[in-house]
Amino acid sequence: MSASGNTTVFTNGRFFNGGASEPDIELKSALVIKDGRIAFIGNQKEVQVQSYRDAGVQVADLAEKYVLPGFIDAHMHFLMLGQSLHKVDLDHAKDLEEIRWRISKYAKENPDKQRILCKGWMHSMTNGEAKASMLDDLDPRPIYIDSKDIHSCWCNSAALREMGVQNMEDPAGGTIERDEQGNASGLLSEACVLLIVWPYLAKVLPLDDKTAALRSAIKAYHAVGCTGCIDMAMDENAWEAILALRHAEGGSLPLRVAAHWCIMPGDSEEHRLRQVERAITLSQDFNSECSPDLRIVGIKIICDGVIDACTAALAEPYTSNGQFNGPIWTPEMLGPVVKKACEGGLQCALHAIGDQAVHNAVNVLEKYGKLGQRHRIEHLELTAPQDAKRLGQLGITASIQPVHSDPAILRAWPKLLGPERIKRAFAYSEFADHGATLAIGSDTPTAPYAPLPNLYVATTRKSARQPDADDEPVNGNFKLELVQAMVAVTKGAAYSCFAEERMGSLEVGKMADFCVVDMEWKSGELLKAKVMETWFGGRKVYEA
């Protein structure tokens, strides 16, 4: 390749690097990328622009647009995102009637599909009911409906039959909802999704469909400025698909992927530890030295459920119904698994939403974590002040998804938690004030994956889903500053997976992963911001 073919010069831009309160066009107005990396960033006067032009190098005028490091989604589900892009979208459906209409419409338009896969349903849309009988007359094919949080799956009778659910016992940490006669009635919750639904669909869906789904996910990410991600529930099914896609693409992917291997509760300590051993073995072949852009970095444990379904582990019962659920993973189960992972050099990512689950997670990481291992807690939706403080003290990354704090989806929370507890919801700035590294993700496909609306919620605590609904900000005292949030979805996310030497900021020598954004540098204007271009390794992969 000629010198001009692998070099590009950008001028007249506003470059963000997480230091100043606002990107400064006078200080950093030019960028040179060469051989996929950043070769120069600084004052335009220091760049011999005309000599580059004379040598046939492409010179691009950014017209004072902002250049941000490529976003890194710090908590997502790669294959599931791709598959969700092809599912019937029930998001924002008002009620059962609208859900049924959307499914019927899709069924008529897609007569060749073997199954009807749906997403985005919330319990509140159907008054907490999810019966097979509410779906059975729509279509004879199996119908699977993922809840928005992916912690439950609503099935019709054909789906229950093909999975053989009727004769199964409830798996550890899961519930097969049954009628008065003991027959499976349609709803599979918590561990049932991980242990019954996903494995079955993984077995029956073709590999080509999965690699096509991954391609769709990558394309969708590029369109919103994402160049990297951290998968938070990797399993054999998704891993096989990713390796197949990488092979098909000539040995590399246009997305930098780190992954946490999902550990199932199982029925014995031996079974749990075998899963950790699998993650350790994989990490020996897929790490920063051998495979820097596709790595197994740690394990993921889903310690509790979610607040909306009253399955998150709280220190006190739910206010609305007095329900009091323990965690999916007890401290006795957690200890040996976290200990083995730490000894094997893996990062632990612990899903903990309720304050009791967070407390247990902090305790076990304090007991077994080693200095500099950068363990992390996912979600942290309800935390006690003392545990929020301990995150920074112990070097635990606060892995947060501001999109889950959108007021439009929290209207049931005051009733579920009561007026005092809800004041502790999503205490993001408090985590940072006590020294915790923040890493922002989306948890897609449980929520929209676009980073800029996610940052709008983080920095305003207002709704990106329904901005005109006049909802009060949720605990505005815990909002982040725009610089804080932007760092958390770039440099913080990279740091959280030991990738900050290669990506996450615009610095000489790092990979040329960035996006060009037409925006105002104001939190309240982020919903109007538009990604114009995305560059990955010095190559333009998206243009609006």
Side-chain angles (χ1 to χ4, degrees), residues 3 13 49 88 128 153 214 222 244 254 415 432 482 522:
V49 175
V88 184
C153 185
L214 292 171
H222 288 165
K415 182 180 176 184
L482 182 49
K522 295 177 183 175

Side-chain angles (χ1 to χ4, degrees), residues 380-395:
L380 295 158
E381 294 188 5
L382 192 69
T383 52
Q386 60 271 28
D387 289 324
K389 189 174 183 179
R390 292 165 72 200
L391 299 175
Q393 293 170 344
L394 297 171

Side-chain angles (χ1 to χ4, degrees), residues 185-413:
S185 58
L187 186 66
L188 306 178
S189 299
E190 299 300 340
C192 292
V193 178
L194 296 169
L195 299 173
I196 299 173
V197 181
W198 292 356
Y200 180 79
L201 290 176
K203 183 175 69 177
V204 298
L205 296 175
L207 182 60
D208 286 350
D209 285 3
K210 296 170 195 171
T211 55
L214 292 171
R215 283 193 176 95
S216 295
I218 292 170
K219 185 178 179 182
Y221 262 154
H222 288 165
V224 295
C226 277
T227 55
C229 65
I230 304 175
D231 188 292
M232 269 299 155
M234 187 57 66
D235 60 12
E236 300 288 358
N237 168 48
W239 189 245
E240 176 194 31
I242 291 168
L243 292 181
L245 179 60
R246 187 172 79 154
H247 177 74
E249 295 289 315
S252 64
L253 297 172
L255 192 72
R256 308 197 197 280
V257 181
H260 284 256
W261 201 256
C262 192
I263 309 299
M264 302 298 185
D267 53 10
S268 69
E269 183 177 311
E270 180 188 6
H271 176 243
R272 294 188 282 273
L273 294 179
R274 277 203 308 272
Q275 297 174 71
V276 181
E277 287 167 7
R278 173 65 171 148
I280 292 170
T281 299
L282 284 168
S283 73
Q284 291 165 355
D285 292 325
F286 296 91
N287 54 49
S288 297
E289 285 73 41
C290 311
S291 175
D293 292 330
L294 181 59
R295 299 175 293 139
I296 297 292
V297 297
I299 62 166
K300 161 77 175 299
I301 298 173
I302 301 175
C303 298
D304 69 340
V306 294
I307 285 172
D308 292 276
C310 296
T311 53
L314 304 185
E316 299 291 337
Y318 285 86
T319 304
S320 57
N321 56 14
Q323 195 164 322
F324 191 65
N325 283 359
I328 296 170
W329 282 69
T330 64
E332 293 73 27
M333 293 165 65
L334 271 177
V337 170
V338 170
K339 181 175 185 286
K340 186 174 185 67
C342 292
E343 290 171 348
L346 297 179
Q347 291 178 270
C348 295
L350 307 183
H351 162 125
I353 283 180
D355 53 355
Q356 185 61 55
V358 172
H359 183 70
N360 295 349
V362 175
N363 283 352
V364 76
L365 293 177
E366 180 178 38
K367 185 172 182 179
Y368 295 112
K370 298 177 182 179
L371 193 65
Q373 287 189 318
R374 301 186 193 176
H375 300 299
R376 40 194 291 160
I377 298 180
E378 311 302 309
H379 307 308
L380 295 158
E381 294 188 5
L382 192 69
T383 52
Q386 60 271 28
D387 289 324
K389 189 174 183 179
R390 292 165 72 200
L391 299 175
Q393 293 170 344
L394 297 171
I396 297 170
T397 296
S399 174
I400 57 175
Q401 301 76 43
V403 68
H404 288 326
S405 67
D406 190 306
I409 59 172
L410 299 179
R411 293 183 183 132
W413 278 42

Side-chain angles (χ1 to χ4, degrees), residues 456-471:
Y456 172 84
V457 181
T459 55
T460 66
R461 305 296 285 239
K462 296 179 182 178
S463 178
R465 294 170 64 89
Q466 298 176 12
D468 300 323
D470 292 326
D471 288 302

Side-chain angles (χ1 to χ4, degrees), residues 77-89 117-120 146 150 213 216-217 444-447 449:
H77 305 281
F78 191 12
L79 178 58
M80 290 165 61
L81 165 60
Q83 291 174 326
S84 76
L85 297 172
H86 303 285
K87 292 182 179 181
V88 184
D89 192 358
L117 307 179
C118 313
K119 64 174 180 178
D146 295 334
I150 315 186
S216 295
T444 189
T446 74
Y449 53 84

